[in-house]
Amino acid sequence: MNEPSGEDKAPPAVSVVIVAYNSGATLGRCVAALAAQTFADFELLIVNNDSPQREADPAAANLPGARVIEAGGNLGFAAGVNLGAREARGRWLVLLNPDAYPDPDWLEELMAASRRRPQVLSFTSRQLMAQDRHVLDGLGDVMSAPAIPYRGGYLTPDPGDTPEGEVFSPCGAAMMVDRTLFLRLGGLDESFFCYCEDVDFGYRLQLAGEPTLLVPDAVIAHEGSASSGGPKSDFAVFHGVRNRFWVLIKNTPALLLPVVLPLHLLAFAVVSLRPQNRPLLSVTWRGFTAALAGLGPVWTSRRRTQAQRRASALQIARAMTWNPKDLSGRRAVIRPLRPSRRGAP
């Protein structure tokens, strides 16, 4: 982008949305990586969630035409993304975490995939650990039988020869989705605030019959939880526990619920009582009780979500993994792209 985009100019092909909060240590590097992209037909919107570090404006100055949107408070990741999506002008909406650093051809590879697969409206990236690019941060998100989602291949060696294929859900750290579809599905669920809101959205894509394609040549390096104290912080554990349960209740088809719910409760108990997790039992329990306390609005949301469902319970079951070794080993689950289920009963 050589100059700012105005309302009188043709909209860009892509709108990149970054939500900034306590990301002063990483946001500048993230924007610098965007400035080096080989694909230039994009706009950057940085949603400033009232970050005390005031990093949004200095970072935006490094990319001509970037816009800073003032949220007026810490709205959380989900509401921040939705605010950016409403202000965006591109056909494609790209979500990028402020601690994610895309390779120069990242956007070019995502756009090439959208041309190769015109029936697909959701794409996700190969994510490597920023600290060691030989280790995976994730190959899309996987939904296990107990409704405990995980990033495929997380903390395992990067195989390097990953096939392009369908995954359960895009990871919100580096994904691209048709903006009209994103808005039609209601965007990210703002009640989640932070964590698992991307999995919830990905599940709704599944229910709508919309596949997500992993584009292994679209690569980012990701720090992970850089602005929330790390994956084992009280904040991350509380929201992770609460929001995973909400994803299950809100999205699981009725025919699968009697199977998935007991498996979730059993897996939750087993994982919580592992020696390394016992120091977190107090915050884990707080997250679970908060999940139960919030079930009223979630059940209302469930009725709306299920009424719009186009995929069958069997199709959803096939998109999940039922092998317990996949969850314990965080195995990536990538399948050949199936025909669109758009319009299925």
Side-chain angles (χ1 to χ4, degrees), residues 80-134:
V81 165
N82 290 347
L83 176 58
R86 291 192 297 270
E87 294 287 333
R89 301 170 60 234
R91 183 266 167 102
W92 294 102
L93 178 68
V94 167
L95 309 189
L96 184 66
N97 276 9
D99 60 351
Y101 317 122
D103 283 4
D105 61 350
W106 174 62
L107 283 176
E108 186 174 342
E109 292 291 348
L110 288 174
M111 291 301 292
S114 74
R115 292 189 293 270
R116 282 195 310 274
R117 309 282 193 169
Q119 77 277 26
V120 178
L121 300 178
S122 172
F123 302 85
T124 196
S125 310
R126 179 198 295 268
Q127 297 177 196
L128 308 177
M129 298 297 293
Q131 302 87 340
D132 183 352
R133 288 177 60 101
H134 295 96

Side-chain angles (χ1 to χ4, degrees), residues 226-285:
S227 63
S228 60
K232 292 294 186 181
S233 69
D234 285 2
F235 181 90
V237 171
F238 173 87
H239 286 86
V241 168
R242 185 193 67 176
N243 294 352
R244 282 194 298 268
F245 194 71
W246 285 355
V247 168
L248 183 165
I249 296 299
K250 176 180 173 181
N251 296 293
T252 307
L255 288 176
L256 294 178
L257 203 55
V259 177
V260 171
L261 180 56
L263 289 175
H264 182 87
L265 296 175
L266 176 61
F268 171 72
V270 170
V271 171
S272 300
L273 293 174
R274 286 176 176 169
Q276 64 269 34
N277 292 329
R278 286 176 188 169
L280 301 168
L281 275 177
S282 175
V283 67
T284 298
W285 182 247

Side-chain angles (χ1 to χ4, degrees), residues 17-30:
V17 173
I18 300 174
V19 178
Y21 183 80
N22 278 351
S23 52
T26 61
L27 182 60
R29 179 180 172 188
C30 175

Side-chain angles (χ1 to χ4, degrees), residues 11 30 43 49 55 58 112 118 123 145 154 157 174 176 190-191 193-194 198 211 218 237 244 252 254 297 311 329 333:
C30 175
E43 64 174 351
N49 258 355
E55 69 272 25
F123 302 85
Y154 180 65
M176 184 173 82
E190 297 182 9
S191 68
F193 192 79
C194 189
D198 53 348
V237 171
R244 282 194 298 268
T252 307
V333 179

